[in-house]
Amino acid sequence: MSLEARFGLQTLGLSAAALLLGYFPTVRLAGSATVMSMIAGVAVSLVASWAGAIPVALTRNRAATFGPSNMVMAAMLVRFFVVLALALSIALSGKVDRAVFLIWVGISYMVLLAADTHYALRSSPSTPRKEQS
């Protein structure tokens, strides 16, 4: 399985785990009407995570000229601006419970940051990779 496919599955799994673990506390504290706000918050972070993976995938073979640190910085910037644009537009739309939505954007952003960092480090040419059999 390719590194990108593993990254996609890992982020989907982490997002699903965050939703499952956060469902009951969210319903208990904010009510069942806020579940869609929770899902929307996690979805925003997931889309931003995938968007941030694009610079890593595109520059993997050119990291010697582009630089691994520049690759990681580009990924972080893309991820941040995508989450900022999506979260701002959805929060201001009035279609979600703003507090629940923004809390879940923050929680899921941090959860997916681990997967993003792992993917960027595995993609870096300076990181030794295990041989697959």
Side-chain angles (χ1 to χ4, degrees), residues 47-104:
V47 169
S49 180
W50 288 346
I54 293 171
V56 175
L58 292 177
T59 60
R60 177 181 306 133
N61 296 330
R62 295 179 290 173
T65 57
F66 190 66
S69 60
N70 289 338
M71 175 180 70
V72 171
M73 184 60 81
M76 287 173 34
L77 285 173
V78 167
R79 183 175 195 248
F80 176 75
F81 284 116
V82 168
V83 84
L84 184 66
L86 289 175
L88 190 60
S89 62
I90 292 172
L92 294 177
S93 73
K95 297 186 189 275
V96 295
D97 181 298
R98 193 174 297 158
V100 172
F101 170 73
L102 292 174
I103 287 169
W104 277 101

Side-chain angles (χ1 to χ4, degrees), residues 9 13 24 31 40 51 55 75 88:
L9 290 174
F24 290 111
L88 190 60

Side-chain angles (χ1 to χ4, degrees), residues 36-59:
M36 288 309 294
S37 299
M38 176 182 73
I39 293 170
V42 173
V44 163
S45 293
L46 182 62
V47 169
S49 180
W50 288 346
I54 293 171
V56 175
L58 292 177
T59 60

